[in-house]
């Protein structure tokens, strides 16, 4: 074996010598005859200096494993595992946390329903959080806000999974009109919620305070911090004086985080949520009925609305909502069936802008539909007139091809005014009274007075003649006795005024 090694070494040296001697100019000759520039000699490498830890080795926290310092050697097994790896908020140490852990752990049916409902939306939320570099604990926030119900509405009128108040939703460009409410939209509301949470974190520099502000309002948290600073007190989440709901808010999130981190410790079983998208976006180019979308996609209408909960009406206007969400496997089915559809219209409904104040009965007659159907499709309450400029959903004629404009799809509103209740009354005409003078006296139109009495609009009445008019019924003035309904009255008592006018729900966003 030694002889073989020596032979190989001699052969290598001989070949090297041949290569050198084969050069026509030798090693010291200039290389002017070569067209290629000479390769500069490689710089000498600095000797490698190993770095040793100064103290004993410490285990790596989950937060360190997600910040780019440490690469994971295995992919997440499911979405829960992926969420755990992204935990980056400091744990809240508070006596309310074990209390909320016990509350959730003792309600396995509630936890099961809530987590199963979240399976449609969690992947998208986690993707957005990771893209922004935000803690994945925030993906659990809708459990606290709405139990992941996109149709949830609080007593303070906060709506959607992320529970946006109307004004805050408008600030973050969540459209709220007669046809859709983007506070319930999965993509739009998630974008707005994460924008808001980032804004609050940048404002307070602390996730617990940012969450308190999300629930209570940034102004309220700012004032609470200022009061503590003035009194020489601490300004952390646990040290601020805040309402009970906000005091419980972060402990609730911490409790859910602890259960997700270690469900076995709480004897809880989380449903499997696979680590891949549940839905995908699909472009639409025409106004289209919700029922037709569900039919072409091969899904139930309620399943479609679970992914697209912002739509208030039975039709989707492409100019306002050019994309819809469909389950991953059904998106291609919908596109294939839509392309194969060659006849028939896509939308059965369009929008009519009401030219003047009118009754529901009159509007229904003009739209060519029953009053009950008009009320139902437009959610018109009883005893209301439709105000001029309102955008009403009405049947689309079979010859109409024009889709609803983007301005109307984004800004159409329905407004109402109380219907005036009138009573038939007869009055006696004075000397020289005419239809016009009676109309002026009672603030009516001459056309109505003439119509009610079957005379011309320029007719005159005889002295003492009875004239029929319909006058508004004036409600009796409230008195201390009248304000209390008598026994057997169907009129409900007015609710007592709340001191200070503060709503029972803390939401002030």
């Amino acid at each position: 074996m030694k002889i073989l090694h020596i032979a190989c070494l001699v052969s290598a040296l001989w070949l090297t010598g041949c290569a050198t001697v084969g050069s026509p100019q030798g090693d010291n000759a200039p290389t002017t005859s070569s067209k290629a520039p000479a390769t500069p000699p490689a710089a000498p490498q600095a000797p490698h200096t190993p770095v040793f830890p100064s103290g004993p080795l410490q285990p790596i926290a989950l937060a360190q494993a997600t910040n780019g310092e440490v690469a994971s050697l295995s992919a997440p097994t499911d979405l829960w595992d992926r969420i755990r790896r992204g935990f980056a908020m400091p744990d809240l140490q508070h006596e309310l946390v074990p209390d909320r852990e016990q509350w959730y752990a003792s309600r396995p049916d509630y936890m099961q329903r809530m987590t199963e409902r979240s399976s449609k939306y969690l992947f998208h939320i986690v993707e957005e959080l990771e893209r922004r570099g935000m803690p994945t604990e925030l993906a659990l926030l809708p459990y606290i806000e709405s139990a992941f119900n996109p149709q949830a509405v609080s007593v303070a009128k906060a709506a959607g999974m992320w529970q946006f108040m109307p004004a805050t939703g408008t600030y973050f460009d969540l459209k709220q009109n007669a046809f859709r409410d983007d506070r319930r939209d999965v993509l739009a509301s998630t974008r707005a919620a994460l924008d808001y949470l980032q804004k609050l974190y940048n404002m307070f520099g602390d996730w617990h305070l940012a969450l308190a502000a999300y629930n209570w309002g940034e102004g309220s948290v700012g004032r609470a911090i200022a009061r503590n600073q003035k009194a020489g007190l601490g300004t952390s989440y646990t040290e601020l004086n805040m309402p009970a709901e906000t005091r419980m808010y972060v402990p609730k999130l911490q409790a859910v985080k602890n259960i997700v981190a270690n469900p076995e410790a709480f004897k809880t079983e989380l449903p499997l949520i696979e680590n891949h998208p549940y839905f995908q976006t699909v472009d639409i180019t025409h106004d289209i009925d919700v029922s037709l979308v569900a039919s072409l996609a091969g899904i139930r209408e309620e399943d479609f609305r679970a992914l697209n909960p912002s739509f208030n009406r039975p039709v989707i206007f492409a100019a306002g909502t050019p994309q819809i969400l469909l389950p991953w496997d059904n998106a291609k089915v919908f596109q294939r069936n839509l392309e194969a559809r060659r006849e028939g219209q896509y939308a059965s409904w369009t929008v009519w802008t009401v030219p003047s104040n009118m009754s529901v009965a009159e509007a229904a007659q003009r739209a060519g539909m029953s009053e009950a159907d008009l009320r139902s499709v437009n959610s018109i309450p009883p005893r209301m007139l439709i105000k001029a400029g309102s955008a009403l959903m009405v049947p689309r004629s079979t010859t109409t091809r024009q889709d609803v404009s983007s301005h109307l799809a984004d800004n159409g509103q329905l407004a109402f005014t109380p219907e005036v209740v009138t009573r038939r009354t007869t009055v006696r005409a004075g000397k020289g009274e005419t239809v016009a003078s009676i109309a002026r006296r009672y603030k009516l139109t001459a056309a109505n007075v003439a119509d009610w009495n079957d005379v011309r609009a320029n007719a005159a009445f005889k002295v003492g003649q009875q004239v029929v008019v319909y006058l508004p019924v004036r409600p009796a003035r409230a008195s201390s006795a009248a304000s209390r309904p008598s026994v057997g009255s169907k009129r409900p008592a007015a609710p007592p005024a709340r001191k200070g006018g503060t709503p029972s729900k803390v939401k002030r966003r």
Side-chain angles (χ1 to χ4, degrees), residues 97-354:
V97 175
D99 175 78
R100 292 298 89 189
E101 289 173 345
Q102 177 62 27
W103 191 94
Y104 286 115
S106 63
R107 291 164 173 79
D109 292 344
Y110 174 75
M111 288 291 293
Q112 185 76 11
R113 288 194 306 272
M114 188 167 65
T115 50
E116 285 181 350
R117 191 185 296 136
S118 71
S119 63
K120 298 179 177 66
Y121 319 113
L122 260 182
F123 182 89
H124 172 72
I125 297 172
V126 173
E127 285 270 298
E128 284 297 296
L129 287 169
E130 290 180 345
R131 185 178 65 82
R132 295 167 180 245
M134 299 173 71
T136 52
E137 289 98 327
L138 298 174
L140 308 176
L141 194 58
Y143 288 125
I144 314 306
E145 286 288 346
S146 62
F148 262 102
N149 179 7
Q151 298 290 1
V153 180
S154 76
V155 294
K157 305 304 180 186
M161 275 194 308
W162 296 96
Q163 289 289 282
F164 272 96
M165 295 289 284
T168 313
T170 300
Y171 179 85
F172 284 97
D173 198 28
L174 297 178
K175 298 288 184 182
Q176 301 157 64
N177 55 43
F179 315 117
R180 74 180 198 268
D181 186 347
D182 283 349
R183 294 179 299 162
R184 296 186 173 95
D185 183 271
V186 175
L187 303 187
S189 69
T190 298
R191 182 266 308 159
L194 301 191
D195 285 350
Y196 191 25
L197 286 164
Q198 283 184 311
K199 174 179 181 287
L200 294 172
Y201 179 73
N202 292 336
M203 182 180 297
F204 296 105
D206 178 280
W207 278 115
H208 295 160
L209 293 177
L211 289 167
Y214 190 86
N215 176 258
W216 191 21
E218 57 203 70
S220 299
V221 172
R223 288 188 291 272
I225 290 174
R227 284 193 297 268
N228 276 26
Q229 287 174 335
K230 186 175 181 180
L233 302 174
T235 58
S236 68
Y237 174 82
T238 56
E239 294 170 300
L240 297 183
N241 184 20
M242 57 183 65
E245 181 183 325
T246 309
R247 170 68 58 210
M248 191 73 76
Y249 191 69
V250 178
K252 284 182 179 179
L253 181 63
Q254 183 67 52
V256 173
K257 172 185 175 179
N258 293 346
I259 293 173
V260 169
N262 190 5
E264 295 82 7
F266 300 94
K267 298 179 180 178
T268 300
E269 185 176 350
L270 299 175
L272 173 65
I273 303 180
E274 295 181 350
N275 188 24
H276 66 69
Y278 182 89
F279 59 77
Q280 64 174 304
T281 58
V282 177
D283 295 334
I284 57 172
T285 56
H286 304 284
D287 295 354
I288 189 168
D289 291 340
V290 169
S291 59
L292 180 58
V293 172
S295 174
L296 294 177
I299 60 175
R300 299 179 305 169
E301 191 170 324
E302 51 264 41
D303 293 331
F304 173 80
R305 289 192 179 277
L307 288 179
N308 301 270
S310 64
F311 299 129
N312 297 332
R313 300 293 179 248
V315 66
I316 305 163
F317 299 127
T321 313
Q323 288 186 326
I324 57 174
L325 303 184
L326 288 174
W328 188 266
D329 294 333
N330 297 91
K332 288 186 177 179
V333 174
F334 169 78
Q335 291 171 318
R336 185 167 56 247
N337 289 336
L338 184 65
E339 291 170 1
R341 183 182 172 86
R342 297 300 182 199
E343 57 185 33
Q345 60 184 14
Y346 297 99
S348 308
W349 303 91
T350 189
V351 178
W352 171 46
T353 304
V354 179

Side-chain angles (χ1 to χ4, degrees), residues 15-27:
L15 290 172
T16 305
C18 289
T20 304
V21 174
S23 173
Q25 302 293 337
D27 284 345

Side-chain angles (χ1 to χ4, degrees), residues 33-113:
S33 61
S34 172
K35 295 182 181 180
T39 304
Q45 293 185 351
H48 173 67
T49 304
V51 178
F52 299 100
S54 57
L57 295 177
Q58 298 293 331
I60 297 171
L62 285 174
Q64 292 175 277
T66 59
N67 64 3
E69 296 178 7
V70 178
S72 175
L73 298 179
S74 61
T77 56
D78 60 19
L79 198 57
W80 298 118
D81 187 23
R82 184 175 175 183
I83 291 172
R84 294 182 195 109
R85 297 186 187 197
F87 285 166
M89 286 170 49
D91 287 334
L92 177 71
Q93 305 300 329
H94 196 280
E95 61 185 8
L96 288 175
V97 175
D99 175 78
R100 292 298 89 189
E101 289 173 345
Q102 177 62 27
W103 191 94
Y104 286 115
S106 63
R107 291 164 173 79
D109 292 344
Y110 174 75
M111 288 291 293
Q112 185 76 11
R113 288 194 306 272

